[in-house]
Amino acid sequence: MSHYFIIALIFFAAGLVQGLSGFGAALLAMPLLVLILDVKEAVPLSILCGLVITLFLSLELKAHVDWRKILPLVCGCGPGIFLGVTILKRADSSLIKLSMGVLIILYPLYCLLAKRRVRSVSSGWAYVAGFATGVIGGAFSTGGPPTIIYTTLTNWTKDEIKATLSVFFLATGLMAAGAHFASGLTTPGVLLLFAASALPVLAGVWSGAQFYKRLARETYLKIIYILLMALGVMLIVSALG
């Protein structure tokens, strides 16, 4: 019973983080889950709980969903995943992780320390961001940073940023969940753990969304930058481990 309680607490906290920022649930959940679960259970469980989070946020922010913003990201992501899987098979993954981790840390560090003007970024960069997200996701299962960085470079409102991230991650999460079902990774044991975690993760994302409503755009972006740096640190630690 304590096993299920701990997992429920992990996903409540993960939902809280993503309810606040629009991403980051796996950033918190995965390092903790692998301490008590096999990674082959932790990954599909995290994906399923992620679907609860992103579906909730997508519905809550549906008035701010603009498919002209989201579809280029999704279209770019597919080919990127194929290339990412190829890289995973052939390249030195530790060196790539290390380089990527450093780059991901440098961008939010610059944004936090320098006075940066908000600018209008060409929508064509959405395809590039989606492609890069697919490459990193296919190779290392941590594909979020390019899309997150792209949204912070726009002059979108915080609701538009969060809505775009939520629907994009919902779409990619559905693809990942389908792949897990097809491969047999989503076992009855995983589904039982998901049943125990669904309500806590929903409570967490709802709570995070309430805090989010009180944030100014600049405060929201600062939270994104801090979480991006944490993602970069995780990649570096993984490369050196």
Side-chain angles (χ1 to χ4, degrees), residues 44-210:
L45 176 60
S46 181
I47 291 292
L48 289 174
C49 286
L51 290 179
V52 173
I53 294 170
T54 52
L55 179 60
F56 175 90
L57 293 175
S58 297
L59 291 173
E60 185 181 55
L61 294 162
K62 62 181 181 295
H64 303 280
V65 172
D66 185 344
W67 287 102
R68 292 171 298 178
K69 295 181 173 74
I70 297 164
L71 285 177
L73 293 166
V74 175
C75 290
C77 191
I81 290 173
F82 176 77
L83 179 58
V85 172
T86 303
I87 290 172
L88 180 61
K89 291 179 180 178
R90 300 182 181 179
D92 183 343
S93 60
S94 294
L95 180 60
I96 295 173
K97 277 185 181 181
L98 185 62
S99 303
M100 193 181 308
V102 171
L103 289 173
I104 289 170
I105 289 172
L106 288 177
Y107 169 72
L109 195 61
Y110 164 75
C111 292
L112 287 169
L113 297 179
K115 290 185 178 180
R116 189 176 60 87
R117 293 184 302 172
V118 176
R119 67 195 70 183
S120 180
V121 179
S122 168
S123 60
W125 283 102
Y127 293 98
V128 177
F131 180 77
T133 294
V135 171
I136 300 171
F140 310 116
S141 298
T142 49
T147 295
I148 297 162
I149 290 171
Y150 166 73
T151 61
T152 65
L153 288 170
T154 66
N155 57 3
W156 301 345
T157 67
K158 70 186 181 89
D159 288 335
E160 289 173 329
I161 292 173
K162 193 177 181 186
T164 300
L165 290 175
S166 298
V167 176
F168 176 70
F169 290 137
L170 174 61
T172 56
L174 285 169
M175 288 188 283
H180 289 154
F181 270 107
S183 65
L185 284 171
T186 307
T187 63
V190 168
L191 291 175
L192 187 60
L193 290 169
F194 174 61
S197 306
L199 283 180
V201 79
L202 189 59
V205 69
W206 180 85
S207 301
Q210 304 316 300

